[in-house]
Amino acid sequence: MSRSSPPPPDGKALSAELLSWYAHHKRRLPWRDHPDPYRIWISEVMLQQTRVASVEPYYERFLKEFPTVEALARAPLDRVLKLWEGLGYYSRARNLHRAARVVVERHGGRLPAQKDELLKLPGIGRYTAAAILSLAFEQDEVVLDGNVRRVASRVLAVREDPRKASVERQLEEALKGWLPPGRARDFNQALMELGSLICLPKAPRCSICPIAERCRARALGLQGEIPRRARRRPLPHKDVAVGLLQKGGKLLIVRRPPQGLLGGLWDLPQAPYAYEGSPREALQRAFRELGISTDVGEELTRVEHGYSHFRVTLHVFRCALQDGADPAPPLKPEGEWAWVRPRELPRYAFPKGAQKVFSALGLSGLDPDQEREEEQKQQDLQQEEQESRERRRA
DNA sequence: TATCCGTGGCC
DNA sequence: TGGCCAAGGAT
């Protein structure tokens, strides 16, 4: 430790100033109104690697349709994915759905208040478990998310990568020392709020920071260097052939495999062709695996899209059934493919890349009013199915 | 421990 | 404009 470093901060004073600032400056967020475990859970999963502004509308719609764990548990996965459409990281939706069923079957519909039990639920890791325990159950748990990691590593002037396990332990120990007993709910949210409003990654607003006087990075002029960030490799690029196959005004769509990239979402039939020859051959082979013989025609359009770890160019080809013959049903099981009219597309959850394709081809087909109409029909259908189930039960 | 897993907004 | 980043988890 450098001789010129300020002493470690006074935890009591730091938390008092932090809590006072939070009391005056906290944002009004939907999940802060009634912090019950279910709502906190949903919000924390949605907020994983996702900004508050992006989450808010999704949270409202999700809670309206699934106000309870039971409602979520009895919903079809397709419907959960539809409400998650566009939010990204779709394993979160699949895990949430699975976990809801576990909570109903094994915990009587109530989220457990024990960390080891929470950690057994799919989609709940160390951060989310601690967040639920502190925010919903008011247990004295500290959280360590990206915000807190940045704030704490600056306050302590930790120069190492704060994602290293050894550094995480160091930060957690410091946080436990600062946490005022019984105040974990506000303390944790205050740290995260400070990280997202004041202690910003690039240009921290130290001049209005309530704990700037206790920040070692600030004292050392290192607030711009901490936390140390690893440079990431350039994203690889892939080319994918996408097939537009129409029959009688309907379009063939397929469900993606239940795990992996965009798992469980619907998409256009497609094939990567990096090492497999021409895009047309790759696409024809993909249709063949569905039990459909096609001729691949002109390239209609190209769409660029980026994912978290690679970029793609989607090459969209017009396809036609060979000899105009009516195809046997695809080999994949029912429910893994569908012939749909363009106006029915909004019933299905599609990744953003497919939506760009629809838009480029003028297939979105629906103005916002029609979208809402379709949405309403879908909700009515869900409602009828539920009432039907309840009648059978009665 | 490192890699996979989406999307949108920011400068 | 494109690289960077966000209330992480699973493997």
Side-chain angles (χ1 to χ4, degrees), chain A residues 28-34 39 52 56 59-60:
Chain A
R28 181 158 202 168
L29 301 175
W31 43 90
R32 285 181 178 163
D33 287 344
H34 300 286
R39 288 167 177 252
V52 166
E56 281 182 316
Y59 177 83
E60 302 280 13

Side-chain angles (χ1 to χ4, degrees), chain A residues 59-351:
Chain A
Y59 177 83
E60 302 280 13
R61 284 196 296 267
F62 200 91
L63 261 290
K64 189 175 178 187
E65 179 150 342
F66 310 125
T68 63
V69 189
E70 287 80 4
L72 178 56
R74 65 174 173 252
L77 175 60
D78 268 346
R79 189 58 195 158
V80 179
L81 287 172
K82 180 61 188 175
L83 288 196
W84 207 272
E85 181 186 40
L87 199 53
Y89 286 138
Y90 299 94
S91 67
R92 295 183 295 175
R94 303 192 303 266
N95 287 333
L96 203 50
H97 186 239
R98 273 205 296 149
R101 297 191 162 178
V102 173
V103 169
V104 166
E105 289 166 12
R106 297 219 280 266
H107 300 284
R110 291 179 182 274
L111 215 49
Q114 295 78 36
K115 184 181 279 190
D116 58 339
E117 290 299 324
L118 285 175
L119 288 172
K120 290 178 187 170
L121 296 173
I124 296 185
R126 288 183 41 182
Y127 163 77
T128 304
I132 291 170
L133 290 175
S134 60
L135 306 191
F137 294 109
E138 300 199 81
Q139 294 182 21
D140 284 337
E141 291 279 341
V142 297
V143 297
L144 198 58
D145 74 326
N147 286 310
V148 178
R149 195 177 284 120
R150 184 172 60 255
V151 171
S153 61
R154 279 175 175 162
V155 168
L156 297 171
V158 175
R159 296 166 191 255
E160 294 174 89
D161 185 341
R163 287 166 298 186
K164 274 182 57 180
S166 61
V167 178
E168 284 207 341
R169 282 194 294 274
Q170 177 191 348
L171 298 181
E172 275 190 23
E173 286 312 306
L175 290 166
K176 287 177 190 172
W178 302 340
L179 171 65
R183 301 299 309 278
R185 172 184 286 172
D186 284 341
F187 178 77
N188 285 337
Q189 292 190 89
L191 279 171
M192 293 190 279
E193 198 83 333
L194 190 77
S196 58
L197 297 180
I198 305 291
C199 197
L200 305 177
K202 289 189 175 174
R205 308 167 70 184
C206 301
S207 62
I208 59 171
C209 176
I211 57 174
E213 306 300 312
R214 308 187 183 280
C215 179
R216 293 182 68 192
R218 165 71 162 167
L220 296 167
L222 293 176
Q223 66 273 21
E225 320 298 321
I226 294 174
R228 192 188 74 71
R229 43 168 151 279
R231 53 183 85 78
R232 65 179 63 172
R233 304 187 313 282
L235 300 179
H237 178 270
K238 298 182 183 182
D239 288 288
V240 173
V242 174
L244 191 74
L245 179 61
Q246 291 175 294
K247 180 188 75 168
K250 294 185 175 181
L251 181 67
L252 182 65
I253 61 174
V254 296
R255 192 201 299 273
R256 299 181 62 97
Q259 306 294 333
L261 183 71
L262 308 167
L265 272 65
W266 290 81
D267 212 339
L268 289 168
Q270 57 190 261
Y273 61 91
Y275 307 104
E276 307 178 35
S278 82
R280 287 184 171 79
E281 289 170 359
L283 200 49
Q284 206 164 37
R285 196 156 46 237
F287 277 112
R288 175 76 63 190
E289 287 167 12
L290 289 169
I292 303 175
S293 299
T294 59
D295 294 316
V296 181
E298 59 173 326
E299 182 172 348
L300 296 169
T301 186
R302 293 182 185 177
V303 166
E304 303 291 335
H305 190 63
Y307 297 100
S308 52
H309 51 303
F310 67 94
R311 299 178 179 286
V312 288
T313 302
L314 303 175
H315 303 257
V316 185
F317 291 90
R318 181 186 300 289
C319 298
L321 297 172
Q322 269 183 2
D323 305 327
D326 198 40
L331 295 180
K332 292 177 86 176
E334 183 84 28
E336 301 302 293
W337 51 271
W339 290 98
V340 298
R341 300 180 190 286
R343 58 169 293 107
E344 297 167 336
L345 290 174
R347 295 182 189 174
Y348 300 82
F350 288 98

Side-chain angles (χ1 to χ4, degrees), chain A residues 35-48:
Chain A
D36 69 84
Y38 175 68
R39 288 167 177 252
I40 294 296
W41 176 31
I42 302 300
S43 71
E44 289 301 337
V45 173
M46 285 189 171
L47 285 163
Q48 288 167 6

Side-chain angles (χ1 to χ4, degrees), chain A residues 354-376:
Chain A
Q355 293 177 8
K356 286 185 183 177
V357 171
F358 295 148
S359 175
L361 297 176
L363 276 174
S364 48
L366 296 178
D367 61 38
D369 285 336
Q370 288 176 305
E371 292 249 9
R372 274 189 289 279
E373 205 172 303
E374 281 296 323
E375 190 63 15
Q376 189 59 48

